[in-house]
Amino acid sequence: GLDPEMFPVRFSGEVPKFSVDQHLKRHCEVRSERSVQMGLVAGRDALLQAGFIDDTDSLIRSSLRIEAILGSAAGSCGEYEMGYQRFYERGPRAVQPATIPKLMFNALSANISIYFGLIGQNLVIGSACTAGASAISMATQLIRHGYADIVLAGGAESCFSPAIFSFWTCLGVLANSTEPSEACRPFDRRRNGMVLSEGAGAI
């Protein structure tokens, strides 16, 4: 986890002890970035609850056309930071071959489509804090106007790398309350900022 002692803001919404292997039935061939892992788990839950996959994470019918439209404000930002760190500390030879497919912004929807064998279009919307809601809105429009029959939609985010947390802290928008219970109060007149958090959700 992120060590908060070096930052003036000490609160965040971090998911403790998250392990993608405890949720997925099959191993991810290329170990994906944390936000992508969370998106995979949320996607699995949605597909399973909707009856489109079985308990082995396989589609009930391979011919099912399911689109994957997900939102993410920061994408695989942790992978960017690790890639730059390896490059500047140890040079080009230290950069891993899978860096590009792991850090590209479409890694979220692409990995979900690959893992579950989804054959519909897949894309990621990056409209900041509304990214997940925007993805669901687009999915609704595609279904409503007949461009899609089934859409897996939602969002995923995890931006707890030291540099990214520093960027948000310097922006001056994070809550600096001394009590965790008072840190996130979006509709309170005494609110003093937001709480940077991670997680994923899909429908």
Side-chain angles (χ1 to χ4, degrees):
L2 187 70
D3 181 8
E5 292 303 317
M6 61 191 293
F7 301 103
V9 174
R10 302 294 172 85
F11 299 119
S12 63
E14 194 169 10
V15 178
K17 300 178 181 178
F18 171 76
S19 172
V20 68
D21 292 323
Q22 293 179 352
H23 299 277
L24 299 183
K25 299 299 182 183
R26 290 178 277 112
H27 182 67
C28 299
E29 203 164 312
V30 176
R31 180 55 59 184
S32 51
E33 196 262 353
R34 187 172 168 91
S35 67
V36 175
Q37 292 180 19
M38 291 184 166
L40 278 164
V41 173
R44 177 189 179 272
D45 289 347
L47 290 168
L48 187 63
Q49 291 171 22
F52 293 126
I53 60 172
D54 58 28
D55 56 9
T56 68
D57 290 355
S58 301
L59 285 174
I60 56 171
R61 291 196 312 277
S62 59
S63 60
L64 272 176
R65 182 178 174 86
I66 302 177
E67 331 288 329
I69 301 178
L70 288 303
S72 183
S76 300
C77 56
E79 203 63 43
Y80 271 97
E81 189 168 336
M82 285 189 287
Y84 281 122
Q85 186 174 355
R86 291 188 188 105
F87 175 81
Y88 286 116
E89 287 181 353
R90 293 182 282 157
R93 292 183 182 275
V95 177
Q96 297 179 350
T99 299
I100 287 295
K102 289 171 71 176
L103 63 73
M104 290 178 72
F105 218 79
N106 72 319
L108 177 59
S109 61
N111 278 280
I112 287 175
S113 293
I114 291 168
Y115 181 84
F116 296 106
L118 307 185
I119 59 174
Q121 67 171 321
N122 75 77
L123 60 93
V124 171
I125 296 175
S127 55
C129 295
T130 67
S134 297
I136 293 171
S137 175
M138 177 173 282
T140 302
Q141 294 177 51
L142 289 175
I143 294 171
R144 180 175 292 157
H145 295 292
Y147 294 109
D149 295 320
I150 307 167
V151 183
L152 175 66
E157 211 75 69
S158 178
C159 42
F160 284 130
S161 67
I164 297 296
F165 199 81
S166 297
F167 300 160
W168 278 98
T169 301
C170 292
L171 193 60
V173 298
L174 299 184
N176 56 9
S177 304
T178 57
E179 292 295 329
S181 61
E182 298 177 357
C184 186
R185 299 177 297 180
F187 305 109
D188 193 309
R189 63 184 175 85
R190 296 169 298 167
R191 66 188 180 277
N192 64 6
M194 65 182 200
V195 176
L196 197 64
S197 302
E198 66 178 351
I203 58 173

